[in-house]
Amino acid sequence: GQQLNQSPQSMFIQEGEDVSMNCTSSSIFNTWLWYKQDPGEGPVLLIALYKAGELTSNGRLTAQFGITRKDSFLNISASIPSDVGIYFCAGRVQGAQKLVFGQGTRLTINP
Amino acid sequence: DAGVTQSPTHLIKTRGQHVTLRCSPISGHKSVSWYQQVLGQGPQFIFQYYEKEERGRGNFPDRFSARQFPNYSSELNVNALLLGDSALYLCASSLVGGAGEKLFFGSGTQLSVL
């Protein structure tokens, strides 16, 4: 079945730093989505990508759909304390609605 | 407008028992999906329903079942609970269950099996 490898597993940064994380897949995906999950809550959708090469921003967040369609990247600029949480990538193959999730990247910000 | 709502928020059961989890989708959404999230991992797909019909099933045993009602709400049932069923169960909704749609998640039901 499809597998997503998300890296890094965890990040410890200073407030104000930029953050980069990525996901790679063994399969070609038609859709990539990035979610953020806080403790005790469900994932919240950050960015959705639908075309290879697409670059989409949501405030300080920017995500890209890799041209091979097997990877995606998320960047967070000028991190702030509320960015703390777990970030998940999720991919979807053609014709299917179910999402395959990565293992998550846990972001911790040192004050 | 209310988002995806799930009940209960927390549940404690013992091995061998049965559990029913409930979900109401975002108003206007007709498709509901269920995901299981074990601690430290990403969510895993269990079921998708649209217009009361099952549209997809993940790699879960037959102890897991679900249904969708005419008002588009949904129930997830798990029989003969095992310790390994302890997880956060997430419900997600979308407009019509299409492959290009965004999925919106509820806050989940935290199930503990003792």
Side-chain angles (χ1 to χ4, degrees):
Chain A
Q2 299 99 14
Q3 290 189 347
L4 286 185
N5 291 313
Q6 187 172 348
S7 65
Q9 284 190 316
S10 59
M11 302 184 73
F12 298 85
I13 64 169
Q14 298 294 122
E15 184 177 348
E17 287 185 10
D18 295 344
V19 172
S20 291
M21 60 190 77
N22 69 82
C23 251
T24 58
S25 167
S26 57
S27 304
I28 289 176
F29 283 138
N30 272 34
T31 304
W32 283 96
L33 300 102
W34 285 90
Y35 287 87
K36 178 176 182 274
Q37 187 173 28
D38 293 327
E41 299 292 329
V44 174
L45 182 63
L46 300 173
I47 292 178
L49 303 159
Y50 299 102
K51 287 169 51 176
E54 180 181 352
L55 188 70
T56 298
S57 293
N58 177 8
R60 294 177 296 105
L61 277 63
T62 302
Q64 185 163 21
F65 193 140
I67 57 173
T68 67
R69 296 167 65 194
K70 289 186 175 183
D71 55 8
S72 181
F73 307 87
L74 176 69
N75 296 310
I76 305 173
S77 62
S79 58
I80 61 177
S82 61
D83 291 335
V84 166
I86 303 177
Y87 292 79
F88 288 99
C89 61
R92 183 186 276 157
V93 298
Q94 185 173 9
Q97 206 210 38
K98 77 168 192 178
L99 293 176
V100 178
F101 281 83
Q103 308 98 313
T105 294
R106 181 182 294 274
L107 179 63
T108 303
I109 297 178
N110 299 318
Chain B
D1 286 341
V4 178
T5 57
Q6 292 187 243
S7 65
T9 55
H10 295 83
L11 204 51
I12 299 176
K13 293 285 189 179
T14 57
R15 281 178 295 176
Q17 284 190 312
H18 162 91
V19 69
T20 298
L21 311 180
R22 295 178 175 82
C23 170
S24 292
I26 293 171
S27 177
H29 283 194
K30 298 181 178 180
S31 178
V32 169
S33 298
W34 288 95
Y35 286 76
Q36 180 197 64
Q37 187 176 23
V38 174
L39 189 64
Q41 298 182 19
Q44 279 208 303
F45 173 74
I46 310 175
F47 288 111
Q48 184 202 355
Y49 276 78
Y50 171 65
E51 293 284 6
K52 299 182 289 180
E53 297 290 327
E54 183 183 298
R55 283 287 189 86
R57 173 186 283 255
N59 188 24
F60 280 82
D62 292 343
R63 300 184 295 108
F64 289 76
S65 63
R67 54 180 177 167
Q68 186 178 31
F69 299 99
N71 67 352
Y72 305 112
S73 67
S74 177
E75 283 182 355
L76 176 70
N77 295 285
V78 187
N79 291 325
L81 285 167
L82 304 174
L83 295 180
D85 294 331
S86 295
L88 180 67
Y89 288 85
L90 295 163
C91 174
S93 78
S94 65
L95 278 170
V96 293
E101 292 180 352
K102 297 173 183 176
L103 271 185
F104 298 92
F105 285 85
S107 296
T109 294
Q110 184 66 55
L111 172 65
S112 298
V113 182
L114 306 178

